[in-house]
Amino acid sequence: MPYKRATESEIEATLATLPSWARGQERITKTFRFESFAEAFGWMSSVAIVAEKLDHHPEWRNVWATVEVELTTHDCGGLSQERLPAGGSDGRAGGQGARVADKATGRWGVDLDARGRPA
């Protein structure tokens, strides 16, 4: 499926609704912190199941209780309109919640709390 690259205004508008995400080069990023390695890894497993179904996989790095997440769309060489996170609050569980892949729209939009459970 060809993806259309998002415009600067679309990226800025999305990031305005997701204050804990930051703009990187051709990607957006966020660091999640958990109480333990098991919680961090469990959260990654929850996200991985949904991401696999969507065929939209985050780039991430896990070190003990921290998970660094980067979202980009390689097919268009940057951020695509279709793969930008859905707008809304991502401040659940003390700022650790995430809006991750929405099966219906293919956008990142299902709420998970810091323990990787649907919020």
Side-chain angles (χ1 to χ4, degrees):
M1 172 182 199
Y3 295 102
K4 183 177 178 186
R5 192 178 178 114
T7 65
E8 282 301 312
S9 61
E10 290 169 328
I11 295 167
E12 289 173 14
T14 298
L15 286 176
T17 68
L18 301 169
S20 59
W21 287 82
R23 178 75 185 270
Q25 201 166 29
E26 304 303 333
R27 62 194 63 236
I28 58 174
T29 65
K30 181 174 179 175
T31 299
F32 295 87
R33 290 180 176 76
F34 300 87
E35 292 181 22
S36 68
F37 173 76
E39 283 189 10
F41 195 83
W43 180 83
M44 290 175 72
S45 296
S46 297
V47 171
I49 292 167
V50 178
E52 182 66 20
K53 289 178 183 176
L54 292 173
D55 193 30
H56 184 55
H57 308 91
E59 295 180 17
W60 52 19
R61 179 174 182 261
N62 169 236
V63 177
W64 193 69
T66 301
V67 180
E68 299 168 359
V69 177
E70 297 183 350
L71 299 180
T72 189
T73 305
H74 296 283
D75 293 342
C76 74
L79 293 164
S80 68
Q81 293 173 331
E82 298 84 2
R83 298 300 192 186
L84 280 172
S89 171
D90 64 342
R92 288 162 178 70
Q96 296 296 312
R99 300 203 31 98
V100 297
D102 182 318
K103 293 184 249 184
T105 65
R107 294 174 64 121
W108 287 64
V110 173
D111 293 323
L112 294 181
D113 68 13
R115 298 178 193 269
R117 300 175 299 216

